Amino acid sequence: MDSIIDLIDEIQDLLDACKKSAFSSGKIAVDKEQITELLQDIRLNIPSEIAQAKRISEKCEKIVQEAHNKANQIIRQAEDQAQKLVLEHEITRQAQAEAEIIVEDAREDAREIRRNAVSYADDLLSDVEEAVTQTLRKVEEESKNALNSIEETTNSLNDFLNDEIDIITGNRDELKN
């Protein structure tokens, strides 16, 4: 399956390979069926790229959850450590103070891990958002260009055929006179 960018490149290659119109240097004749097929392929690929962005988002959520679990584990370990210190030492105040420091350090580590995981997830999602936005803009631009080219070709053909009809009508009128 081609990526959306590959399909857009195919549209561009098709447009570049088209024959120029005999009546206009800036107009070309395009194979409507080929353009339509490529646009359909683009429509079919957009959901897969969105699914890829969703997988990245889920991966980021998993990283955040793992960081949260790790932080909870660190906190539990710190609390267990604090309890042991209190039970093992006669001077409970000193043990409690040390335990509180350990718990606070663990909580700070947990907050830092979570901040980093959220930042990482945000960066990934930002990159995905930018890629999808650029792809959408490119698809819209290429679609507009293709439609404009088709419209220009149709107008040229209509003008040519109308001119030919005028000539034929004039020739018929001359024959009748």
Side-chain angles (χ1 to χ4, degrees), residues 123-154:
D123 290 344
L124 282 177
L125 291 174
S126 175
D127 292 344
V128 168
E129 179 183 338
E130 180 63 29
V132 169
T133 300
Q134 287 178 1
T135 300
L136 179 60
R137 286 186 188 136
K138 186 73 172 174
V139 166
E140 289 173 350
E141 179 183 319
E142 292 300 329
S143 295
K144 286 178 186 174
N145 290 341
L147 290 174
N148 287 340
S149 178
I150 290 168
E151 184 178 350
E152 290 174 6
T153 301
T154 302

Side-chain angles (χ1 to χ4, degrees), residues 72-123:
N72 286 338
Q73 180 185 7
I74 291 170
I75 290 170
R76 280 192 303 275
Q77 288 173 346
E79 288 171 347
D80 290 345
Q81 180 78 20
Q83 273 185 336
K84 287 178 186 177
L85 289 174
V86 168
L87 294 174
E88 291 175 2
H89 292 75
E90 288 184 24
I91 309 171
T92 57
R93 272 198 214 161
Q94 186 178 4
Q96 280 182 324
E98 289 175 13
E100 288 174 10
I101 290 170
I102 291 170
V103 169
E104 187 53 37
D105 288 345
R107 287 185 178 139
E108 184 57 37
D109 289 345
R111 286 189 291 268
E112 183 63 29
I113 289 170
R114 180 162 172 53
R115 278 192 297 269
N116 290 339
V118 168
S119 176
Y120 175 72
D122 185 57
D123 290 344

Side-chain angles (χ1 to χ4, degrees), residues 14-27:
L14 179 64
L15 292 173
D16 291 342
C18 289
K19 293 183 179 179
K20 294 195 186 255
S21 174
F23 305 102
S24 173
S25 64
K27 296 180 182 179

